Amino acid sequence: MKKQPNVIVIMTDQHRLSAVGAYGDTVCQTPNIDRLAKEGVRFETAYTSNPVCSPARGTVMTGQYPHTHGITSNLHNVGCSVHELRDRPELLSRRMESAGYQLGYTGKWHLGTEKTESFGVPNEPSLPRDVGFEGQNFGNHGGGGFSYPEYQNYLKENGWAHEVKEWGEETQHIFEMGELEGPTESTVPYFLTQHTMDMVDRFAEEEKPFFIWHNFWGPHGPYYASKEYVDRYRDVSIPEWPNYRWPSRELMGPHQVKIHPDHERLTWTDWEMALRYYYAFTTLIDEQIGRLAAHLEATGQLENTVIIFASDHGETIGSHGGLTDKGWHHFEEIHRIPFIVRFPDGTAKGEVREGFVSLTDLYPTVCDLGEASWDKEAVHGKSLLPLVADADTPWRDTVVSEFGGVNSLAATLRTLRHASYKYGYNCAGEDELYDLDKDPWETRNLIQHPDYRDVAADMRRRLYVWMVETNDPARRLYQNRLKYYGEHEQFEVGKHPG
């Protein structure tokens, strides 16, 4: 057995927790992800660094929040400060390469493009190959991966085509979703998984360990799945989200950006159908995860491979009064993510860790697994290995997600969790405070409630501490919010609030 373990990071896109069986009661079938949780350790309260694709993925490669690594929105959107991931020794790929690892990449990238010009000025492209990876080089978002020549050639070689059946459901077609004409083998998730399996076989011939980052394009829309998966949910009843009737239009806030334009004309039956396709797509992806794990086992690689499963962020799909997509609010649906680590020796098998985990922790955890050096002063995350080894190890008591805008719209939001509370800073509106023990579906904003005045003040203090510690440039204007509450004197610019 190689001294250092192989490491495979499997990342899904826009994957809410209701679509992971291991995280609670759901009709969504994910037996292979659930198996990873049963054979590994599951982190119960894990949060993204930013509920948008590119910023979150930039965190994976740097261990930093977007306000530091600079990819503050999706690439080449207005509001994104850095449009291409610049190669440098501090990137996760280069850290692992320096530790002796072979580097492999599959699937969605969204950290660079092949553009040579952007906003009228020269642009330096960045693809996986430019930061040390072997494998696929799919620039920009990719829109599901359907149009890339490699996938089109794969279809052609096998006599298939990417075709979606005409929408025949009795409900409204509220998103891009549908049943694929071809077999499961013709789908993008199958194609991506075959690529990773082939890469595992190639890397296994070498003496060096491998690090592979495997990225699915789903269950981010469009929600396409082959017949066998659509049929599994054909007659499945899915109850309303408990916050589905939250008055989203009546309440002012940044969430207004993401209310479905037809919300008032839609019924739960329409959303229920969309969820069936979302779950069908998720189950298709889950079976590919099982296929990859089975291949590792059959080739003897599972006994020396750490598998990390996580998502970049969540999804709303009708919750909180017909919200869609991600970003623009503080709710659990988009901020909380699945995060599971399976160790080949059975470490912490079937255990759950309750401490707050951040997507920023993935980078130092992978580095520690590979015995790669990393800069603890520059990285915002913490290695999860001490928490895995001892559930009682001293750990953070707060976790933060940030948001700066997406789709060429901009807003500054910061979301902080501490104890059972969640505080949301809205730069251009009223802040938000939720007591998740009493209100787990976040329907009652308590920011002005007299009984929560001290809690709100403590949460604001904690957010400012985090802003100072991470050098968040928004902290200076955040002081205006503190002045509004009469708390600014204890938070002078440049001084740590203690």
Side-chain angles (χ1 to χ4, degrees), residues 331-348:
F331 302 133
E332 293 282 272
E333 297 97 293
I334 64 168
H335 287 276
R336 211 167 137 214
I337 58 172
F339 203 130
I340 297 166
V341 182
R342 182 196 183 278
F343 296 88
D345 63 359
T347 295

Side-chain angles (χ1 to χ4, degrees), residues 27-229:
V27 302
C28 189
Q29 302 167 29
T30 56
N32 296 290
I33 298 172
D34 300 348
R35 179 187 169 190
L36 292 178
K38 290 176 183 177
E39 296 180 357
V41 57
R42 180 173 65 83
F43 298 95
E44 176 67 20
T45 48
Y47 286 82
T48 185
S49 60
N50 185 305
V52 178
C53 303
S54 296
R57 291 162 188 274
T59 291
V60 173
M61 287 293 283
T62 64
Q64 298 171 330
Y65 279 94
H67 70 254
T68 296
H69 66 62
I71 303 175
T72 49
S73 184
N74 279 341
L75 303 176
H76 300 279
N77 276 202
V78 172
C80 186
S81 300
V82 174
H83 296 291
E84 305 278 340
L85 182 70
R86 181 177 57 84
D87 189 22
R88 51 195 184 273
E90 296 80 18
L91 294 182
L92 180 58
S93 54
R94 296 304 188 187
R95 293 287 191 190
M96 294 298 279
E97 182 181 51
S98 295
Y101 275 76
Q102 303 173 86
L103 308 177
Y105 200 90
T106 293
K108 177 177 175 176
W109 178 233
H110 214 184
L111 288 172
T113 68
E114 296 180 279
K115 292 174 180 278
T116 57
E117 182 180 299
S118 182
F119 295 100
V121 298
N123 180 70
E124 185 175 344
S126 177
L127 295 174
R129 64 180 176 235
D130 298 312
V131 297
F133 287 109
E134 298 180 38
Q136 294 173 335
N137 292 278
F138 298 140
N140 216 332
H141 178 279
F146 312 118
S147 62
Y148 289 110
E150 293 89 338
Y151 175 61
Q152 289 296 319
N153 290 338
Y154 168 77
L155 293 177
K156 186 176 180 179
E157 289 168 1
N158 289 280
W160 299 318
H162 173 72
E163 296 177 349
V164 183
K165 292 184 179 179
E166 185 177 348
W167 185 251
E169 308 289 0
E170 295 180 357
T171 59
Q172 296 191 55
H173 194 208
I174 61 177
F175 295 122
E176 282 189 80
M177 55 188 177
E179 181 181 321
L180 295 169
E181 291 278 7
T184 297
E185 291 79 7
S186 70
T187 64
V188 169
Y190 191 99
F191 162 72
L192 297 178
T193 303
Q194 186 62 53
H195 177 268
T196 294
M197 289 163 53
D198 293 343
M199 197 155 45
V200 165
D201 293 345
R202 188 169 70 254
F203 285 164
E205 295 175 357
E206 304 295 329
E207 290 298 317
K208 297 194 299 182
F210 57 77
F211 166 56
I212 296 174
W213 189 8
H214 176 102
N215 292 267
F216 289 106
W217 263 285
H220 187 297
Y223 313 144
Y224 295 149
S226 48
K227 184 179 187 301
E228 62 179 299
Y229 298 99

